[in-house]
Amino acid sequence: MFLVGLTGGIASGKSTVSSQLKELGCPVIDADVVAQKVVEFQSPAYKLILQHFGREVLLENGEIDRKKLGQIIFSNPEKRRLLNSITHPLIHKEMFRQILLYFIKGYRYVILDVPLLFETRRLTRFLTHTVVVYCDPATQLSRLMQRDALSHEEAQQRIAAQMPLKEKRGLASHVMENSGSREDTHRQVLRLHTKLEDSMEFLVVRAVAVAAVAGLCGLFLCTVKLLIS
Ligand code: ADP
């Protein structure tokens, strides 16, 4: 099995590409969904967040108000580090569990949909390919304003708060150009899908896994032989 990172900038079209890949049957792990799961009501992360951030970050139904939490950490780097130290290990553990399940089921690759892939950099060393969904700055701005009903200034602020999309493009092994039509992007998604399906890179991890299992069996047999001789 090999891992593929999928990322982009706000409103560059990552979710659109991710949905198209899912429709084609690709296994996709969405880091945002995992992040929501780890802070579910009464989970270990939930309790720690409550302990450090207080009840002000709760919704009326007792769940974490992720939007409020996002606002708090946006302007406070120390609190952001604290929240990350609570959630990131649990997010990575859950993602690893899901990857392992796909591996056991015999999938050849898994796509990790991670908005801040290059900002946190924790996962990049495990990835065989990185895909950035790119669109030009004017298109990104107008799509963001339209999707989230934001003013020109608000949208610009959100874009400026992220690593520049051009920089992410430079770090990726594969760029998905999404400034044009949806059909054009879909054609690129189909090409990427074919490339992943045809790739033999999954054999490396399978060979290592088979060698590890064979090694363990050998060790076990040697121990048994020693014990009965
Ligand atoms: P992200 O997940 O990167 O934030 P989205 O996939 O939600 O971005 O796309 C942002 C907005 O732009 C959405 O409203 C989406 O429907 C729209 N969009 C995405 N790609 C295209 C495209 N090629 N043409 C027109 N609109 C698009």
Side-chain angles (χ1 to χ4, degrees):
M1 179 195 259
F2 61 97
L3 301 175
V4 181
L6 175 68
T7 193
I10 186 167
S12 73
K14 182 182 63 62
S15 309
T16 306
V17 167
S18 181
S19 315
Q20 291 181 3
L21 287 165
K22 276 186 220 154
E23 276 166 26
L24 289 167
C26 296
V28 179
I29 300 174
D30 185 332
D32 265 347
V33 174
V34 174
Q36 277 172 38
K37 188 178 151 79
V38 301
V39 299
E40 269 172 4
F41 189 60
Q42 296 300 5
S43 64
Y46 174 97
K47 289 178 186 161
L48 281 170
I49 291 170
L50 196 59
Q51 191 183 322
H52 290 284
F53 290 83
R55 299 192 68 82
E56 61 169 303
V57 297
L58 293 187
L59 290 164
E60 270 182 19
N61 64 5
E63 285 175 12
I64 303 270
D65 185 343
R66 294 180 75 230
K67 213 171 165 189
K68 183 96 181 269
L69 206 49
Q71 282 162 0
I72 293 172
I73 63 162
F74 186 73
S75 51
N76 189 329
E78 206 172 304
K79 291 217 160 160
R80 189 181 319 142
R81 272 194 293 276
L82 173 63
L83 182 68
N84 288 347
S85 72
I86 294 171
T87 58
H88 282 185
L90 294 161
I91 293 170
H92 293 154
K93 201 169 142 193
E94 173 59 19
M95 286 176 88
F96 179 70
R97 192 187 69 82
Q98 293 188 19
I99 292 167
L100 201 61
L101 283 180
Y102 280 123
F103 179 66
I104 292 165
K105 285 182 191 163
Y107 281 84
R108 292 176 167 202
Y109 62 90
V110 174
I111 297 167
L112 307 181
D113 176 341
V114 186
L116 302 180
L117 187 68
F118 291 126
E119 284 87 340
T120 53
R121 284 186 164 265
R122 286 257 170 86
L123 295 171
T124 47
R125 67 194 134 129
F126 302 110
L127 305 173
T128 306
H129 302 282
T130 46
V131 180
V132 161
V133 182
Y134 178 84
C135 69
D136 63 70
T139 309
Q140 184 184 19
L141 188 69
S142 80
R143 285 185 187 156
L144 177 58
M145 285 166 66
Q146 204 173 348
R147 186 192 65 185
D148 295 351
L150 297 176
S151 69
H152 191 271
E153 203 188 3
E154 285 170 329
Q156 261 180 337
Q157 265 176 2
R158 293 197 192 185
I159 291 171
Q162 293 193 331
M163 180 192 280
L165 197 46
K166 255 190 182 168
E167 203 176 310
K168 292 190 183 185
R169 188 173 66 170
L171 294 169
S173 61
H174 187 103
V175 178
M176 189 81 60
E177 170 54 64
N178 186 39
S179 308
S181 67
R182 288 178 194 277
E183 294 69 35
D184 187 27
T185 301
H186 191 59
R187 275 192 288 276
Q188 295 175 62
V189 169
L190 290 176
R191 278 203 294 276
L192 175 67
H193 180 244
T194 307
K195 186 177 157 185
L196 296 176
E197 289 290 314
D198 291 348
S199 171
M200 289 291 147
E201 281 150 323
F202 70 96
L203 285 174
V204 179
V205 174
R206 274 205 196 159
V208 171
V210 169
V213 171
L216 281 176
C217 288
L219 200 68
F220 176 72
L221 287 176
C222 284
T223 316
V224 171
K225 258 188 185 172
L226 275 175
L227 287 174
I228 56 176
S229 61

